């Protein structure tokens, strides 16, 4: 019997790195962990996780899990939680975990610690509140606890060797009330925002959608970076899709390098990027709050500074 069950996040049969942050939390909690892999054609994900020290890897591999729907994923997680006997059920805090984990908590009568950023003494958990301005220390009073992990706050666990046994899990998903209709994925050659080592983000100072891309594309190219944006941008310009939003109500990122171009630095934006390892800000207003979190700040017009910055980076290589 393991203390923890980790529900792996995968997309199209590829393991998402955030799962390894969940493994890291499990290592800190201690007591051993099992893993659940849910999807269709996800044998490779289970194999990829075999060297991380799980007691067992449950695999619910069925066409019914091929296109994500919360209800079947909840059913699989509840079944795996029963099989494993785990006290803590853990997954990532992105859109995946946000959608199905509360249903798991409801189904098994567990308390929920959402957006866990660390552990505190005495079996307590840390989580951000008020756009990350306060870190609350919370206690779950229930016997079992569901936890979503903010991946940007944990290092990825390293392999420990060994080969965890894989066990097929049969799941009765029951009557599924929702029906999968379609999935409109944004096609991009660039890395995924939450997985990228470098993120370059643009703000409203970039004037309009086409100009945003004229400035940001070459900058992203030079760093092989993911491109992010502020809410002001995704709300206003059709050319910049919503899934690029970084911030409190967007994605939370903590890359090695975050370049903020013509972004004022509103607290809701900072909530999504201020833990980046190195922050570079380019803004023509020296008083812009983004400079308070920036490691390197350039007070300049982005339309002039970004092309010069790109040339300097290229020349330095
Ligand atoms: C409940 C709630 C949730 C929110 N969630 C989010 C969120 O998740 N993410 C998010 O980003 N925002 C969020 N917001 C919105 C947030 O409050 C700000 O409005 C938004 O982040 C501002 O975006 P911006 O920096 O692009 O625009 P602005 O604040 O308008 O800043 C534009 C900046 O560009 C600079 N600039 C202009 N021209 C140039 C130039 N040529 N060269 C260089 N600099 C230039 C200006 O000096 C200015 O600092 C949320 C707001 C609320 C109320």
């Amino acid at each position: 019997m393991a203390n923890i069950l980790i529900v792996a996040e995968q997309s199209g049969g590829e393991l998402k790195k955030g799962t390894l942050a969940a493994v890291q939390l499990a290592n800190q909690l201690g007591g051993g962990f099992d893993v659940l892999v849910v999807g269709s054609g996800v044998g490779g994900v289970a194999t990829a996780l075999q060297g991380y020290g799980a007691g067992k890897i449950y695999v619910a591999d069925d066409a019914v899990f091929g296109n994500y729907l919360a209800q079947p994923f909840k059913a699989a997680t509840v079944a795996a939680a029963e099989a494993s006997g785990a006290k803590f059920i853990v997954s990532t805090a992105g859109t995946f975990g946000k959608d199905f984990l509360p249903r798991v908590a409801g189904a098994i009568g567990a308390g929920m610690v959402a957006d866990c950023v660390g552990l505190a003494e005495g079996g307590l958990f840390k989580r951000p509140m008020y756009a990350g301005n306060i870190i609350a220390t919370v206690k779950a009073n229930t016997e079992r606890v569901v936890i979503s992990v903010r991946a940007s706050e944990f290092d990825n666990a390293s392999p420990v060797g060994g080969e965890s046994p894989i066990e097929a899990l049969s799941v009765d998903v029951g009557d599924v009330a929702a029906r999968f209709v379609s999935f409109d994925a944004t096609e991009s050659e660039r890395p995924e925002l939450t997985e990228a080592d470098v993120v370059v983000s643009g703000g409203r100072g970039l004037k309009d959608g086409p100009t945003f891309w004229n400035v940001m594309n070459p900058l992203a190219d030079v760093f092989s970076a993911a491109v992010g944006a502020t809410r002001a941008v995704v709300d206003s310009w059709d050319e910049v899709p919503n899934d690029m939003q970084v911030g409190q109500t967007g994605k939370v990122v903590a890359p090695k390098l975050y370049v903020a171009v013509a972004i004022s630095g509103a607290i809701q934006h900072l909530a999504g990027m201020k833990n980046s390892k190195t922050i570079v800000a380019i803004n023509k207003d020296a008083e812009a709050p983004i400079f308070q979190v920036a490691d390197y700040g350039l007070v300049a017009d982005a339309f002039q500074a970004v092309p010069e910055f790109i040339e300097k980076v290229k020349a330095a290589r």
Side-chain angles (χ1 to χ4, degrees), residues 131 202-207 229-235 237 244-251 258 260-273 282-291 298-306:
R204 184 154 46 192
L206 294 177
K207 215 168 88 190
T230 62
R231 177 157 161 187
V233 164
V234 303
D235 281 356
W237 304 336
M244 284 174 52
Q245 185 186 320
V246 172
Q248 183 192 347
T249 46
K251 290 181 176 159
Y258 188 90
V261 181
I263 290 176
S264 60
I267 51 164
Q268 296 89 354
H269 186 77
L270 301 186
M273 47 63 74
I282 301 172
N283 194 306
K284 67 178 184 185
D285 174 9
E287 302 297 319
I290 191 74
F291 290 126
L298 185 60
V299 180
D301 186 323
F303 299 112
Q304 198 184 329
V306 172

Side-chain angles (χ1 to χ4, degrees), residues 184-278:
D184 295 324
T186 309
E187 296 294 331
S188 174
E189 307 263 288
R190 302 206 186 280
E192 221 271 300
L193 257 181
T194 53
E195 311 247 312
D197 284 341
V198 182
V199 173
V200 296
S201 282
R204 184 154 46 192
L206 294 177
K207 215 168 88 190
D208 56 34
T211 316
F212 175 98
W213 286 113
N214 285 342
V215 174
M216 299 306 290
N217 261 335
L219 184 60
D221 286 345
V222 84
F223 287 114
S224 301
V227 183
T230 62
R231 177 157 161 187
V233 164
V234 303
D235 281 356
S236 316
W237 304 336
D238 291 345
E239 297 84 354
V240 188
N242 283 78
D243 65 352
M244 284 174 52
Q245 185 186 320
V246 172
Q248 183 192 347
T249 46
K251 290 181 176 159
V252 178
V253 300
K256 289 183 184 145
L257 173 64
Y258 188 90
V259 185
V261 181
I263 290 176
S264 60
I267 51 164
Q268 296 89 354
H269 186 77
L270 301 186
M273 47 63 74
K274 68 181 175 199
N275 288 332
S276 304
K277 309 292 173 286
T278 302

Side-chain angles (χ1 to χ4, degrees), residues 15 29 113 191 199 220 291 296:
L15 179 70
L29 269 172
V113 178
V199 173
F291 290 126
Y296 300 93

Side-chain angles (χ1 to χ4, degrees), residues 50-106:
Q50 271 186 306
Y52 287 88
K56 199 179 273 186
I57 300 179
Y58 295 100
V59 181
D61 197 327
D62 192 290
V64 74
F65 304 118
N67 293 304
Y68 172 84
L69 283 175
Q71 209 177 327
F73 273 66
K74 176 207 76 179
T77 306
V78 171
E82 295 308 327
S84 134
K87 177 172 173 358
F88 300 102
I89 292 119
V90 180
S91 195
T92 49
T95 42
F96 173 68
K98 276 190 181 125
D99 198 44
F100 83 100
L101 282 178
R103 295 165 199 258
V104 173

